[in-house]
Amino acid sequence: MARSVGKRAKKERSLGGKMLKVFFSILMVLVLVVGAYVAYAMISYHRIEDYQQCKINNAKEIAERVPVDRELSLQSWNIGFAAYQQDYSFFMDGGKESRARSKEAVYESMGHIVDGLKDTKSDFYTVQEVDFDSTRTYHVDEAQIIRDSFTTYSNTFAQNYDSPYLMWPLIKPHGASKSGILTMSKFEMQSSIRRSLPIQTDLAKFIDLDRCYDVVRYEVEDGHELVLINLHLSAYTTDPTIADQQVEMLCKEIEKEYAKGNYVICAGDYNKDMLGNSSEVFENEGERGWAKAFKKDMLPEGFSVVNTLDSKNPVASCRDCDTGYVKGETFVVTVDGFIVSDNIEVVKAETLDYEFMWSDHNPVRMVFKLLGGKFDIEQSALNEH
């Protein structure tokens, strides 16, 4: 009897030892896999070249110079890599999804986005978060889709980021992302220069990735230049000073151009509350840390933020993506818009209400005039410093 009990105990110890070995073997494999992935991410990480000259595609029979004292229009839209359908939620915002739902869904959304761009018949377009060869959008070239739909427009594309493969969420990883900003116009582009913005240098850089703005130049009839800056500032910074550094860099750029007598427009996604009181305007419940007010007092003299708000029918330009969009319940804010120099008169500005059907952003649009060197100190009520 004692011998039988001893044998059983010996077997149990042997089984326990084997299980422990298996456990440590699995743990070791996991450690090696995680270590290899971390090494891959760190080795793969790189910043895209600053002062990069971006390719310009000027359409045939395009207008050579931008006119003065004539109404022109500009539409800006962050298309959310054509993944954000109205009921879409994004994992980085606390939601569930990490990619577009399918390649077919990307093509469908892109069709609606192109229609939305065409509907306004604008003279200029600045489009952000345009993917190409990204895992999250099944390698669909969204930039080419838009270019092919605007063959009579000049265009240029600046790559915003080129991220290594993000292995999260584990079930359906976000993957590698290549995305950028597309600028189009009815006028001949003289140059397009990509400028790298300051970003965090700690581990947070693997989340917020690279950031840039594109400086596109046009000749104007009066001999000056129109400097159109297409931008997409950082969203997920953990260091609040980075946002200020990005705005400071932008301000130095536009101040230099204004001193030359040039006309300056900054258009795009600032990832800051451009109204300054969006929660009050849209009656949001609660707060969002990323929706800080844009610091208008940082702007150099001669520049102002354009008010795109219709007080009688207020429309936000961006929604929170922790859940799908529910009108009147989802947190909304205006983070997209324009900064203009005071030699530009803003005739009209608005946020177009697409109800976040194909992107987590609604487009913003303005009608403006270059004042030909003769501008009124009493700017339009649409311009507010």
Side-chain angles (χ1 to χ4, degrees):
M1 182 74 175
R3 185 178 297 175
S4 176
V5 171
K7 285 182 178 180
R8 191 183 308 118
K10 188 175 181 180
K11 286 183 179 179
E12 288 176 354
R13 285 196 300 271
S14 176
L15 180 62
K18 288 179 180 178
M19 291 179 64
L20 196 60
K21 286 180 180 179
V22 170
F23 171 77
F24 279 114
S25 295
I26 293 172
L27 181 62
M28 183 62 68
V29 169
L30 288 174
V31 169
L32 289 172
V33 169
V34 171
Y37 173 73
V38 171
Y40 152 77
M42 295 182 71
I43 292 169
S44 300
Y45 178 81
H46 65 282
R47 293 213 66 185
I48 298 170
E49 177 188 352
D50 195 9
Y51 288 102
Q52 185 182 84
Q53 294 190 24
C54 302
K55 182 181 178 181
I56 291 173
N57 302 297
N58 279 319
K60 295 179 180 179
E61 300 179 2
I62 202 78
E64 292 185 1
R65 295 185 179 184
V66 181
V68 296
D69 301 317
R70 197 190 92 186
E71 287 191 4
L72 301 163
S73 55
L74 165 59
Q75 180 179 344
S76 186
W77 195 1
N78 180 328
I79 64 170
F81 57 92
Y84 292 83
Q85 296 170 333
Q86 200 176 48
D87 59 346
Y88 186 93
S89 67
F90 190 51
F91 78 106
M92 282 190 176
D93 292 328
K96 297 179 179 179
E97 299 175 83
S98 58
R99 302 181 184 181
R101 288 168 177 167
S102 66
K103 179 178 282 192
E104 292 72 27
V106 173
Y107 281 119
E108 180 183 356
S109 291
M110 285 303 302
H112 290 297
I113 287 165
V114 165
D115 288 343
L117 292 168
K118 284 185 171 182
D119 283 347
T120 64
K121 296 181 173 65
S122 297
D123 297 297
F124 300 87
Y125 292 95
T126 56
V127 191
Q128 301 85 40
E129 208 151 3
V130 184
D131 271 20
F132 67 100
D133 197 22
S134 294
T135 308
R136 64 189 185 183
T137 42
Y138 304 92
H139 307 283
V140 173
D141 191 339
E142 298 173 351
Q144 193 59 49
I145 291 173
I146 298 174
R147 283 191 289 254
D148 288 345
S149 302
F150 286 84
T151 55
T152 61
Y153 282 68
S154 297
N155 67 75
T156 185
F157 183 82
Q159 188 171 348
N160 202 17
Y161 49 81
D162 180 6
S163 76
Y165 199 97
L166 178 60
M167 279 294 303
W168 193 261
L170 289 176
I171 301 300
K172 187 179 281 188
H174 189 61
S177 299
K178 293 183 179 181
S179 190
I181 50 183
L182 177 67
T183 306
M184 301 187 297
S185 70
K186 292 181 178 179
F187 303 95
E188 184 176 310
M189 297 175 173
Q190 301 301 313
S191 66
S192 172
I193 304 295
R194 181 195 184 278
R195 293 302 321 277
S196 296
L197 284 160
I199 61 169
Q200 289 184 232
T201 56
D202 56 14
L203 291 176
K205 68 186 180 184
F206 295 107
I207 299 175
D208 197 32
L209 311 173
D210 214 339
R211 291 289 167 172
C212 76
Y213 59 77
D214 189 17
V215 182
V216 184
R217 296 180 180 274
Y218 301 88
E219 287 187 4
V220 179
E221 286 179 345
D222 65 1
H224 292 292
E225 290 182 313
L226 168 60
V227 179
L228 176 58
I229 297 178
N230 186 353
L231 57 85
H232 187 186
L233 305 187
S234 288
Y236 298 104
T237 55
T238 57
D239 180 355
T241 66
I242 297 299
D244 287 348
Q245 289 176 36
Q246 291 184 349
V247 175
E248 286 170 1
M249 177 178 168
L250 180 67
C251 287
K252 288 179 181 178
E253 183 98 43
I254 62 178
E255 187 174 31
K256 178 180 65 177
E257 296 299 337
Y258 182 68
K260 297 176 184 176
N262 291 332
Y263 306 91
V264 183
I265 300 174
C266 304
D269 179 1
Y270 293 83
N271 270 309
K272 292 290 178 287
D273 181 359
M274 299 304 285
L275 301 180
N277 63 338
S278 284
S279 285
E280 178 183 335
V281 170
F282 302 115
E283 300 179 347
N284 290 318
E285 291 186 8
E287 296 182 356
R288 299 294 187 276
W290 55 269
K292 302 291 186 185
F294 181 83
K295 296 179 180 178
K296 298 179 183 179
D297 57 357
M298 294 180 67
L299 292 177
E301 186 176 352
F303 286 88
S304 57
V305 173
V306 175
N307 182 9
T308 60
L309 182 71
D310 180 349
S311 59
K312 295 180 181 178
N313 181 33
V315 177
S317 78
C318 182
R319 72 170 176 93
D320 201 356
C321 296
D322 55 341
T323 64
Y325 175 67
V326 180
K327 189 173 184 178
E329 296 182 15
T330 301
F331 183 96
V332 293
V333 60
T334 291
V335 300
D336 306 270
F338 312 100
I339 293 171
V340 298
S341 52
D342 61 7
N343 49 7
I344 296 174
E345 175 190 352
V346 178
V347 178
K348 178 183 179 181
E350 61 184 335
T351 303
L352 305 178
D353 192 4
Y354 289 178
E355 296 188 336
F356 307 108
M357 288 294 294
W358 313 294
S359 171
D360 57 327
H361 291 250
N362 281 321
V364 290
R365 186 173 185 267
M366 72 170 179
V367 178
F368 63 96
K369 290 181 182 179
L370 306 185
L371 292 175
K374 298 178 287 186
F375 56 90
D376 190 346
I377 298 300
E378 297 295 327
Q379 266 293 295
S380 165
L382 287 166
N383 289 7
E384 57 174 49
H385 203 308

